[in-house]
């Protein structure tokens, strides 16, 4: 299946992690991890609707400075940052690091959603209060459930807390609702002209309106919704991607993440250490290639896209890729769509 999501990794595998997920033909992106964002254009950063930060180790979060810089002065583009407990204070520290005496000139529509074990807390940053965080709400939540929805785009973000050497690292899964399309041949056969009524038809189907509801057609006629749905529309499965990094190689983590990411089309997963350095992986709370491969086999994604290799392997990335291909088989291991400098403009 050719998916709707373009999954782009702007950095080489030993670089600081960042993943950009772009649903095709829609002007928005989801950013997972805010490591090195220096290769990502301002235009692309402006399209980020939500930034997902697994945890606030510096290699995963220092890019927030660039993201926030680009977003200043664009209050028409709301930005939500999702992260573990303490995220609001850490984002506030980012903002507190700069001088804001011309503050009214730099409006920013920012919210932070903190994922706690049992609840989601929303924080806002009113500029009139100097960007000090204000707790705006809290609702119950449990692991694996949806944390964020971009309703108008049919995107749902789920989250799973994992252990990363004693701290929490959040794994993410993005699900797109199934596609509903008009079959142009069926439309021609029925002698119907395309128009805004097709959007209305799809809306009624998505909302589960009764099949007997009458839909107005061009030319003043009408027909039952159920007939039109059967004759004119077809469905395609929604795309799925999961992103996970910085997790201890424990049975509990591997099992929980494999269930959470089961059958996604793309699994973007850290493989920080080679098999020979498995002791370091345990010590520092990371996956080495054997666990990353086993996890991929259990989750059975359409493809595994590895990222976040330790910088110690710079120039030797091929060795990790070879190991992963061996440990993950039969799951194909591939690189993500490279960031195209033209489309990134
Ligand atoms: Zn970390
Ligand atoms: Zn890391």
């Amino acid at each position: 299946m050719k998916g709707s999501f373009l999954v782009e990794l702007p950095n080489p595998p030993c670089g600081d992690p960042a993943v950009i997920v772009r649903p095709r033909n829609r002007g928005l992106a989801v950013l997972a991890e805010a490591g090195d964002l220096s290769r990502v254009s301002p235009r692309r950063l402006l399209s980020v609707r939500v930034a997902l930060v697994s945890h606030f180790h510096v290699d995963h979060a220092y890019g927030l400075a660039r993201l926030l810089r680009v977003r200043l002065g664009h209050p028409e583009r709301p930005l939500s940052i999702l992260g573990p407990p303490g995220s609001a204070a850490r984002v506030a520290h980012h903002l507190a690091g700069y001088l804001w005496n011309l503050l009214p000139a730099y409006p920013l529509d920012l919210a932070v959603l903190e994922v706690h074990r049992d609840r989601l807390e929303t924080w806002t940053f009113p500029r009139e209060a100097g960007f000090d965080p204000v707790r705006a709400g809290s609702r119950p939540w449990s692991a694996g459930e949806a944390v964020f929805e971009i309703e108008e785009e049919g995107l749902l973000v789920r989250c799973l807390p994992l252990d990363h050497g004693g701290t929490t690292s959040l794994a993410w899964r993005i699900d797109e609702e199934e596609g509903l399309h008009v079959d142009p041949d069926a439309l021609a056969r029925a002698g119907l002209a395309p128009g805004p009524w097709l959007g209305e038809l799809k809306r009624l189907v998505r909302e589960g309106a009764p099949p007997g509801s009458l839909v107005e057609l061009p030319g003043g006629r009408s027909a039952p919704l159920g007939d039109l749905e059967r004759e004119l529309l077809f469905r395609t499965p929604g795309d799925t991607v999961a992103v996970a990094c910085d997790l201890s190689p424990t049975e509990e983590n591997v099992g929980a993440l494999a269930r959470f990411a089961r059958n996604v089309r793309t699994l973007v997963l850290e493989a920080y250490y080679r098999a020979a350095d498995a002791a370091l992986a345990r010590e520092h709370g990371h996956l080495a290639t054997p666990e990353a491969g086993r996890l991929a086999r259990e989750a059975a994604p359409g493809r595994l896209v590895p990222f976040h290799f330790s910088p110690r392997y710079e120039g030797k990335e091929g060795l990790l890729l070879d190991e992963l291909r061996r440990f993950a088989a039969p799951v194909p291991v591939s690189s993500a769509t490279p960031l195209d400098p033209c489309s990134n403009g």
Side-chain angles (χ1 to χ4, degrees), residues 7 103 111-112 138 147 212 233 244 300 326 340:
V7 179
L103 193 64
V112 166
S138 175
V147 286
L233 301 183
R326 196 148 40 84
D340 171 359

Side-chain angles (χ1 to χ4, degrees), residues 55 57 59-60 164 246 286 308:
H55 65 304
H57 281 156
D59 51 326
H60 294 258
H164 172 34
D246 291 43
H286 279 285
H308 204 17

Side-chain angles (χ1 to χ4, degrees), residues 35-87:
D36 183 0
L37 299 182
S38 62
R39 292 180 181 84
V40 187
S41 72
R43 200 177 108 186
R44 180 71 73 244
L45 291 175
L46 272 176
S47 76
V48 171
R49 178 69 187 78
V50 55
L52 314 172
V53 181
S54 61
H55 65 304
F56 273 74
H57 281 156
V58 64
D59 51 326
H60 294 258
Y62 71 97
L64 287 177
R66 177 165 158 78
L67 179 64
L68 292 169
R69 168 69 189 95
V70 168
R71 303 304 288 250
L72 288 170
H74 289 279
E76 78 285 4
R77 292 172 185 263
L79 171 67
S80 292
I81 299 173
L82 275 56
S87 296

